[in-house]
Amino acid sequence: MELNRRTVIAGAAAAGIAATTLGGTAHATGGSKPVKTLFGRLADGTKVHLWSLENGGTRLKVLSYGGIVQSLEIPDRRGRYANVSAGFDNLEDYVAQSPYFGALIGRYGNRIGRGRFTLDGRSHQLSVNDGEQSLHGGAQGFDKRVWDVEPFVKGSDVGLHLSYTSVDGEMGYPGTLKTKVTYTLTRHGDWRIDYEATTDKATVVNLTSHVYWNLAGEGSGTIEDHELRIAASRYTPTDAGLIPTGELAEVAGTPFDFRKAKPIGRDIRVSHPQLVTAKGFDHNWVLDKGITARPEHVATLRDPSSGRTLRIATNEPGLQFYSGNFLDGTLTGPTGRTYRQGDALCLETQHFPDSPNKPRFPSTVLRPGQVYRTTTVHTFGR
């Protein structure tokens, strides 16, 4: 199935993903060049910068540390702006205690069971950082690296090119992986992410973004009244370590059925074994569309109170919906409010968790001479 992975998205970035196709907002203004300011310094003195972008009614702030979305502001139905992404107002908290707030995730988004996989007959032991599992690339994944950032203005679009080279053996992964991720704000206010990577040895790759969304505004309270729709008839149940069992289970008749929009809180406390294990939703949905050549609409999130909506399009085959189960009130956002369980959620476009150990799952293998490409588009409305 490696061929699917390689041919998926060859034309996605070039296609431009027209906002009209994805339901863009009414805003249509050209943006100005992103602005760079100093956000802080790491313990070794490395500077971390904050890049501020605005276009089409969307305001985005990104850190060079971890490619982190530090803030994303959009208007509500009355034109009032709010930051809808959870995070911190200082570098120290991102370094010391962030649960991947807003981060760019790699080399492998989600979990790999026991941090082990075999590729071409050779076994690889990865960094283990989530019980017995390797989570989001290990203890020092892409979320904890300082990326090279190059701003751009192209026609009516503005954005950032983020680059990072992961050396052979980093966190246990084979091959030197050269990664380029492009964040673009379009004239219609869409936020597009284009991922690209090459390797000099066979390896596995699964890049994603880990924004914690609350469309009512970060720190405003629960997301259980948000209405969510996911175009998926199946999901991947997990074991006690949140590793997929390999089953592709039907969502019909279960709390995992989001084929029609419903409030997240409607079924979250149903006594279903999978919800008990994960303390809520923390699962991969198997998107009905499968792997596609262009990003297709797969999920819609709506906050009835503000009218804000988020539509997600991707060419990936999976979507991880995480309902903020492990937020416990110990973290404080930029508005001085604490984040408690269910105060934000993640919608991570991806290949499936533990795919390197599940031959029946779509392959995440990347080989020399191939180019990993994938695109996700976030469209905002009100």
Side-chain angles (χ1 to χ4, degrees):
M1 297 184 73
E2 292 175 39
L3 182 60
N4 286 345
R5 157 68 95 178
R6 297 195 299 271
T7 58
V8 152
I9 11 199
I17 317 305
T20 53
T21 302
L22 300 177
T25 67
H27 299 280
T29 59
S32 56
K33 187 173 182 179
V35 176
K36 172 184 175 183
T37 56
L38 182 65
F39 190 73
R41 295 176 185 266
L42 298 177
D44 64 0
T46 301
K47 293 181 180 179
V48 172
H49 292 103
L50 175 73
W51 290 87
S52 300
L53 305 77
E54 182 171 1
N55 203 14
T58 300
R59 303 167 181 168
L60 178 66
K61 294 183 178 180
V62 176
L63 301 181
S64 56
Y65 177 79
I68 289 170
V69 172
Q70 193 267 338
S71 173
L72 194 154
E73 296 183 26
I74 55 175
D76 65 7
R77 63 167 63 91
R78 299 173 67 179
R80 297 173 300 187
Y81 276 83
N83 172 22
V84 296
S85 171
F88 301 117
D89 61 2
N90 65 90
L91 180 60
E92 291 74 20
D93 282 344
Y94 279 112
V95 172
Q97 58 181 347
S98 177
Y100 304 99
F101 280 152
L104 200 168
I105 301 296
R107 287 189 191 190
Y108 199 97
N110 221 301
R111 296 173 175 87
I112 295 181
R114 297 192 176 184
R116 300 174 189 166
F117 70 93
T118 299
L119 179 59
D120 296 338
R122 184 173 179 179
S123 179
H124 299 276
Q125 178 62 58
L126 308 175
S127 166
V128 172
N129 61 328
D130 182 44
E132 295 183 341
Q133 328 304 345
S134 181
L135 175 64
H136 293 329
Q140 295 292 320
F142 286 6
D143 60 295
K144 296 178 178 64
R145 307 293 179 174
V146 176
W147 292 65
D148 293 327
V149 182
E150 179 184 348
F152 69 87
V153 177
K154 184 178 181 180
S156 57
D157 294 344
V158 299
L160 305 170
H161 296 302
L162 297 96
S163 301
Y164 176 70
T165 297
S166 176
V167 299
D168 184 19
E170 185 174 280
M171 297 295 103
Y173 287 91
T176 295
L177 191 77
K178 294 184 177 180
T179 305
K180 179 180 178 180
V181 179
T182 301
Y183 290 168
T184 303
L185 284 186
T186 73
R187 61 191 287 267
H188 296 278
D190 296 347
W191 174 40
R192 189 176 73 236
I193 310 177
D194 294 300
Y195 304 89
E196 183 176 313
T198 58
T199 184
D200 61 358
K201 291 182 184 178
T203 191
V204 295
V205 187
N206 190 29
L207 306 180
T208 192
S209 172
H210 209 287
V211 172
Y212 281 70
W213 302 100
N214 186 324
L215 297 183
E218 73 75 32
S220 63
T222 183
I223 47 80
E224 290 189 11
D225 56 350
H226 281 39
E227 297 168 354
L228 177 63
R229 177 182 176 273
I230 304 174
S233 302
R234 296 175 295 170
Y235 76 105
T236 53
T238 68
D239 61 19
L242 300 182
I243 299 298
T245 62
E247 178 187 6
L248 304 182
E250 297 289 333
V251 302
T254 78
F256 295 85
D257 192 349
F258 284 90
R259 290 174 296 175
K260 293 183 178 179
K262 68 177 180 180
I264 290 168
R266 176 179 296 174
D267 297 326
I268 201 169
R269 287 175 175 77
V270 171
S271 184
H272 187 286
Q274 287 291 307
L275 293 178
V276 173
T277 297
K279 298 181 173 58
F281 296 106
D282 192 3
H283 296 77
N284 169 68
W285 269 254
V286 180
L287 299 172
D288 289 339
K289 70 173 187 62
I291 299 173
T292 49
R294 291 170 56 93
E296 294 185 11
H297 175 225
V298 296
T300 300
L301 181 69
R302 178 177 179 270
D303 169 41
S305 65
S306 67
R308 296 187 183 95
T309 62
L310 164 63
R311 289 167 55 91
I312 294 178
T314 186
N315 32 41
E316 290 285 82
L319 180 76
Q320 185 83 8
F321 165 37
Y322 168 58
S323 53
N325 315 328
F326 299 104
L327 298 175
D328 60 4
T330 61
L331 305 177
T332 302
T335 55
R337 297 168 179 161
T338 59
Y339 298 132
R340 302 183 183 276
Q341 186 179 53
D343 279 356
L345 64 93
C346 301
L347 296 168
E348 305 155 60
T349 57
Q350 61 180 14
H351 267 53
F352 304 167
D354 204 37
S355 288
N357 296 311
K358 300 291 191 297
R360 295 181 62 189
F361 285 3
S363 176
T364 54
V365 174
L366 180 70
R367 298 185 181 278
Q370 300 173 353
V371 181
Y372 170 101
R373 289 192 181 96
T374 183
T375 298
T376 295
V377 182
H378 306 79
T379 299
F380 306 102
R382 47 183 167 148

